[in-house]
Amino acid sequence: MDQETLENGLAGSASSAKNFPGLDDWRQLNIDQQPTWQEHPDYTNVINELNTVPPLVFAGEVDRLRKNLAEVAKGKAFFLQGGDCAETFEGATADKISARVKTLLQMAVVLTYGASMPVVKMGRMAGQFSKPRSSNTETRDGVTLPTFRGEMVNGFEFAEEARAHDPRRMVQGYHTSASTLNLVRAFTTGGFADLRLVNQWNRGFTSNPAHARYESLSGEIDRALKFMEACGADFDAMKTTELYVGHEGLLLDYERALTRIDSRTNQPYDTSGHFIWIGERTRGLDDAHVDFLSKVRNPIGVKLGPSTTADDALRLIDKLDPEREPGRLTFITRMGASKIRENLPALVEGVQASGAKVVWVTDPMHGNTISVPSGYKTRRFDDVVDEVKGFFEVHEALGSFPSGIHIEMTGDDVAECLGGSDPINEEAFADRYETRCDPRLNHRQSLEIAFLVAEYLSRR
């Protein structure tokens, strides 16, 4: 982060948004996927505490991201977002965070070098502690309890006490996010992200086809850097990198409590993350999530599933981006491999005709979830790849820019998605299936996706 951005960020985001006009209108609207914790004896104290804690991110950082996403919307950069399906408190360790950051950096290097294009990097982390669910309850052996909604709401253990909705978990989520961000900033500004160390990022992982390809690419980068050094090039810009964080803004109690007023502009910023998105289940135009996030200055994303119409997309633009500001609004399409080529064109054509400049991102994960006989939820890697291909094919045919990719991934050697060049089979789930919610790509599968996307971008 440069000094000007730091100073602007610290100057803003400092004052409470307690009485800012319009920020509480959402409380009178329909709201889905929310915890039942308002009657908890600690609820008011928790909200009061979150109203006064320091911001997790700063207004200056958010503004910088919005400018970077404006370049993405213009087709001059690419947007990469990846991370856990649902973060866990115990998973916020230095080793796990560094593995996730390392994988994102490796993917970004592949994309940047292969496509000759800047990459805006964002972790799905430091706030992704809640999840929408299709049912409010879960039944096992005749016992019915509230479903697990992420560790900021309740516990994963199937027990009455663990599954109770507890607002105190929001405070733990805040502090875990703060420690995660502290590590992310240290990794990306303290030498860990130096491009001259690109070969070292790959150490500690088992050799496989994706890594052999990565090692070849890193060798090319190393030779290019040595040539630049011999020519007297300045390496300062290559010693650090920007890595933003984003999450689904599902728990409006939490998002509202962490909203602050920027003293430079007197505008509200949701300081829980740089980028906040609205899920497919909560994108109702007249509902609470859309209303609240229309009021903050953060870049906003919206997940669009296969039922989305062009009119839905245009009305969301009118609500969330009435000024048609490039970088403000990102559409994250999650159609499924079997529907992407059929359903996406009408949305893109409708938005193109309106003149709006949105960022188009593919989420090839959520539309391709299946269950296997052993009872595990999984995704077939080939389906993920096919949706990515379909996304690029549609945009190429319509002359629009396929702006980014949003994936659930981890830097760990898990077995949760079937297939890949170093194939994961169902038998591996018994020992290496670790997710608390949806299946994630492992490190090797994530790199494979990066190479695929780089190939598409290089042909443009």
Side-chain angles (χ1 to χ4, degrees), residues 385-403:
V385 167
D386 190 39
E387 181 154 0
V388 173
K389 289 180 177 179
F391 175 77
F392 276 87
E393 290 167 8
V394 168
H395 284 282
E396 182 177 11
L398 296 176
S400 57
F401 181 57
S403 314

Side-chain angles (χ1 to χ4, degrees), residues 62-314:
V62 174
D63 290 343
R64 189 174 182 88
L65 172 61
R66 196 169 56 249
K67 291 177 182 177
N68 289 343
L69 288 176
E71 294 299 294
V72 175
K74 297 171 187 174
K76 297 180 179 180
F78 192 76
F79 183 27
L80 168 66
Q81 184 175 22
D84 267 327
C85 160
E87 293 178 280
T88 64
F89 298 150
E90 67 177 17
T93 65
D95 287 344
K96 287 187 177 296
I97 293 169
S98 65
R100 211 175 312 148
V101 170
K102 184 192 300 183
T103 302
L104 279 169
L105 292 177
Q106 286 180 302
M107 294 176 72
V109 164
V110 169
L111 291 166
T112 303
Y113 193 75
S116 299
M117 180 175 288
V119 174
V120 179
K121 298 173 283 295
M122 182 179 295
R124 184 182 159 113
M125 61 177 71
Q128 187 58 28
F129 291 107
S130 61
K131 291 289 292 183
R133 305 309 301 266
S134 57
S135 174
N136 289 327
T137 60
E138 176 185 1
T139 301
R140 300 184 192 176
D141 299 324
V143 177
T144 299
L145 295 175
T147 191
F148 174 61
R149 289 188 170 274
E151 290 202 337
M152 201 180 279
V153 177
N154 57 359
F156 183 72
E157 181 188 1
F158 193 75
E160 185 173 2
E161 183 177 358
R163 289 296 177 90
H165 295 181
D166 186 349
R168 293 171 297 185
R169 287 176 170 269
M170 286 191 284
V171 176
Q172 188 173 0
Y174 167 84
H175 289 293
T176 306
S177 296
S179 62
T180 298
L181 272 166
N182 185 51
L183 276 170
V184 168
R185 289 185 170 114
F187 286 142
T188 54
T189 63
F192 182 84
D194 192 327
L195 269 178
R196 291 170 298 179
L197 305 177
V198 67
N199 284 295
Q200 296 183 19
W201 297 348
N202 205 37
R203 292 179 180 173
F205 292 100
T206 305
S207 179
N208 67 86
H211 284 139
R213 197 173 179 188
Y214 176 81
E215 288 170 0
S216 175
L217 178 67
S218 65
E220 292 180 35
I221 294 171
D222 188 53
R223 289 190 292 274
L225 289 173
K226 288 178 180 177
F227 172 78
M228 292 169 64
E229 188 173 25
C231 293
D234 182 2
F235 281 96
D236 283 347
M238 300 182 185
K239 295 177 182 177
T240 64
T241 192
E242 291 177 317
L243 179 61
Y244 300 100
V245 298
H247 62 269
E248 180 175 355
L250 186 63
L251 303 181
L252 291 189
D253 284 328
Y254 181 76
E255 306 302 334
R256 175 63 182 90
L258 282 172
T259 298
R260 305 286 183 267
I261 303 302
D262 175 19
S263 60
R264 303 165 303 161
T265 62
N266 199 38
Q267 293 298 309
Y269 286 73
D270 184 345
T271 68
S272 69
H274 299 109
F275 179 87
I276 312 296
W277 74 84
I278 302 166
E280 164 74 358
R281 291 183 175 98
T282 54
R283 63 172 175 82
L285 189 73
D286 299 317
D287 290 351
H289 289 83
V290 171
D291 181 84
F292 174 72
L293 289 173
S294 73
K295 309 289 176 62
V296 299
R297 282 295 290 151
N298 304 62
I300 299 301
V302 185
K303 291 285 189 81
L304 303 180
S307 66
T308 312
T309 66
D311 184 61
D312 292 335
L314 294 175

Side-chain angles (χ1 to χ4, degrees), residues 412-442:
D412 300 325
D413 186 27
V414 301
E416 296 171 2
C417 292
L418 297 167
S421 61
D422 188 11
I424 297 295
N425 56 36
E426 191 175 341
E427 287 71 27
F429 291 174
D431 297 321
R432 293 157 53 203
Y433 193 100
E434 298 179 7
T435 182
R436 294 286 179 89
C437 198
D438 291 337
R440 306 160 295 175
L441 300 178
N442 62 27

